[in-house]
Amino acid sequence: MVETFPGEGFAPSSELVACIEACLGCAQSCTACADACLSEEHVGELRRCIRLNADCADVCSTTAAVLSRQTSPDLELVRAVLQACMTACAACGTECEQHAQMHEHCAVCARACRACEQACRALLAELG
Amino acid sequence: MVETFPGEGFAPSSELVACIEACLGCAQSCTACADACLSEEHVGELRRCIRLNADCADVCSTTAAVLSRQTSPDLELVRAVLQACMTACAACGTECEQHAQMHEHCAVCARACRACEQACRALLAELG
Amino acid sequence: MVETFPGEGFAPSSELVACIEACLGCAQSCTACADACLSEEHVGELRRCIRLNADCADVCSTTAAVLSRQTSPDLELVRAVLQACMTACAACGTECEQHAQMHEHCAVCARACRACEQACRALLAELG
Amino acid sequence: MVETFPGEGFAPSSELVACIEACLGCAQSCTACADACLSEEHVGELRRCIRLNADCADVCSTTAAVLSRQTSPDLELVRAVLQACMTACAACGTECEQHAQMHEHCAVCARACRACEQACRALLAELG
């Protein structure tokens, strides 16, 4: 879809597509992980995980949308959004990793967060 | 991710996963199509397309999130959201199809809308 | 803001503005109520409330966005979104009401849900 | 609503409430401004405005949601989101100001962007 844009993109389309897909995947994983945590018996121990999952899902969805637009971008805005997304993924990934041995959903979600953090970092490097 | 839920889901996971993925794909396509339309020379002829793209992206994102939650669902709510998503995808798909021969992004987006409409219909049929 | 639109709106602006404001208020209340529930000692008894809060916040945000657009609307889409929003607010409001005597945040949120449900119903009646 | 949280908040509730309200107001204004621009005769001259409106609406909605959660926040994440929101509001406000004499919706939206930028800055200062 990204390659049908009738102009020049603000970044190489391979990095852009990879980052959009990582953001969408991470947003879905975080929403599902928050919900799976909510159904766990010891939900009281997963409060921080649920909270960070919710934040990370919101930030990743917004990042995917901003990156999906190539018309007349404001690169400072794009960079600030990528920075916020990296920060959200790092915080959520770190928290999920602490529950990964106990809960498969946290293990899957931690990997999605780390992949997204890395994709944002790679795209930020391209943007200079 | 959907299969790591620690309980029984409200629908067969294959239909659920297919519908979540169709919604995420359609949301991204619609956001990108609105933006690509905005960069077209004859943007004035694409106003309705841009508007329906924006609506459809919002509805599909919300639908993906609602379907990603399996804890204690309200099935009437799930059905109403799927119904709204089918309606949005049908409206946006019909509009995009009218520009599909002229603009590749509209052709790609129309297919994403139709796929999402169909996935919502299939899931609704499962829910009864 | 709604009244600065350079054309004719699809509904009387007083009902439209009231409904957009009710949706934004309900979305914020639901996000905050889910979070407040998450911090309660007996979070295990509030699982369904947290889940419905999350759904209702997503649906209300999307509804506010769809209603904020007046260019070339698809009225069937607008109606389906309003219907989904009414259903979400009714489900979430009913759940919050059951915890309203115990938790002030559920009492406040229940009122926001009922106000939004009513505003959607009034706007739907205008749209015929 | 914010004051019903059963714990200690991460910021003074007056600044927090002001910032959440500014974000919700700016998100709505930006969605409506993008749509009003889309209905203007000379839409071709408003492409950048529509694009930045869309970005700013997404970022402000996410910021309102993150700020509405007080359970176990990650302050680095909160700061990065506020920073991204300030950047988005500054970019969109600057663009809207250039069309403010021509289009009332851009004038209203520019004010909402500047108010939100300022509320984010004030909250960031509180967070240190």
Side-chain angles (χ1 to χ4, degrees), chain D residues 2 8-16 70 123 126-127:
Chain D
V2 165
E8 222 175 308
F10 64 91
S13 72
S14 58
E15 268 89 352
L16 201 52
Q70 302 194 64
L123 186 54
E126 284 290 339
L127 296 181

Side-chain angles (χ1 to χ4, degrees), chain A residues 33-57:
Chain A
C33 188
D35 175 69
C37 287
L38 191 61
S39 277
E40 292 291 351
E41 191 185 343
H42 299 293
V43 57
E45 295 162 23
L46 295 163
R47 296 175 211 254
R48 183 169 168 81
C49 195
I50 293 172
R51 190 257 148 86
L52 293 177
N53 274 324
D55 283 354
C56 194

Side-chain angles (χ1 to χ4, degrees), chain A residues 38 41 43-44 47, chain C residues 37 40-48:
Chain A
L38 191 61
E41 191 185 343
V43 57
R47 296 175 211 254
Chain C
C37 287
E40 292 291 351
E41 191 184 343
H42 299 292
V43 57
E45 294 162 22
L46 295 163
R47 296 175 211 254
R48 183 169 169 80

Side-chain angles (χ1 to χ4, degrees), chain C residues 1-2 4-6 20 24 28-29 31-33 35-36 38-40 64-65 68-72 104-106 108-109, chain D residues 1-2 4-6 20 24 28-29 31-33 35-36 38-40 64-65 68-72 104-106 108-109:
Chain C
M1 186 70 209
V2 165
T4 64
F5 182 73
I20 292 169
L24 291 172
Q28 197 278 329
S29 290
T31 299
C33 187
D35 177 69
L38 192 61
S39 276
E40 292 291 351
S68 295
R69 299 181 186 113
Q70 302 194 64
T71 300
S72 199
E104 177 66 9
H105 47 85
C106 289
V108 174
C109 191
Chain D
M1 187 69 209
V2 165
T4 64
F5 182 73
I20 293 170
L24 292 172
Q28 197 278 328
S29 291
T31 300
C33 187
D35 176 70
L38 192 60
S39 277
E40 293 291 351
S68 295
R69 298 180 187 114
Q70 302 194 64
T71 299
S72 197
E104 177 66 9
H105 47 84
C106 288
V108 174
C109 191

